[in-house]
């Protein structure tokens, strides 16, 4: 069983930056694919970015490519999401997820954090 806790959310102005963190406990962290997903009010949860266990492979949603960067530190059991050039449409609850395969589908991820709110003001 893996427990995930996100932190770092908050309010940022459009064009600004924010870094989200996710701390994992339980399981062997380096064996898990980690992902960030987000859900805006009234919308379905959507894929943002995923990273393989080693960190060698990543996939980004087109909407965040070039602005967001995912990274992980397997020694610390942590994954990060650096958000640059934030846009109002990035406003959502951001969730950290852990799974066993590199997939952009949220249904592929068995473990989820509680989410952290990110609000980008225009």
């Amino acid at each position: 069983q893996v427990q995930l806790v996100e932190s770092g959310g908050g309010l940022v102005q459009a064009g600004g930056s924010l870094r989200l963190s996710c701390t994992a406990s339980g399981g062997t962290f380096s064996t898990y694919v980690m992902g960030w997903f987000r859900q805006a009010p009234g919308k379905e949860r959507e894929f943002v970015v995923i990273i393989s266990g080693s960190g060698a492979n990543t996939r980004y949603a087109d909407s965040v490519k070039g602005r967001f960067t995912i990274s992980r530190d397997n020694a610390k059991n942590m994954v990060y999401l650096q958000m640059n050039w934030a846009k109002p449409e990035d406003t959502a609850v951001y969730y950290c997820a852990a799974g066993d395969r590199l997939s952009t589908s949220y249904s592929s991820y068995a473990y989820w954090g509680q989410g952290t709110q990110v609000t980008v003001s225009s």
Side-chain angles (χ1 to χ4, degrees):
Q1 190 79 5
V2 178
Q3 292 80 42
L4 303 172
V5 178
E6 302 97 335
S7 61
L11 176 65
V12 62
Q13 289 188 332
S17 298
L18 204 61
R19 189 173 87 150
L20 306 183
S21 300
C22 174
T23 303
S25 59
T28 304
F29 181 71
S30 62
T31 66
Y32 288 99
V33 172
M34 299 299 297
W36 288 96
F37 293 77
R38 65 187 182 187
Q39 189 166 17
K43 295 187 176 181
E44 290 191 354
R45 190 167 299 191
E46 66 173 2
F47 154 73
V48 177
V49 59
I50 53 176
I51 187 168
S52 62
S54 68
N57 295 303
T58 58
R59 294 183 191 172
Y60 290 86
D62 287 344
S63 59
V64 307
K65 203 171 293 183
R67 299 187 299 119
F68 291 9
T69 302
I70 191 170
S71 62
R72 65 189 297 161
D73 185 337
N74 286 344
K76 296 181 178 180
N77 287 4
M78 296 194 70
V79 63
Y80 306 98
L81 181 65
Q82 178 66 44
M83 304 171 59
N84 296 329
W85 300 105
K87 301 178 180 181
E89 50 263 44
D90 294 325
T91 295
V93 176
Y94 282 70
Y95 296 91
C96 175
D100 59 7
R101 62 190 184 101
L102 206 63
S103 170
T104 61
S105 172
Y106 68 81
S107 63
S108 297
Y109 293 81
Y111 305 103
W112 292 84
Q114 82 288 348
T116 186
Q117 176 71 45
V118 172
T119 303
V120 184
S121 63
S122 57

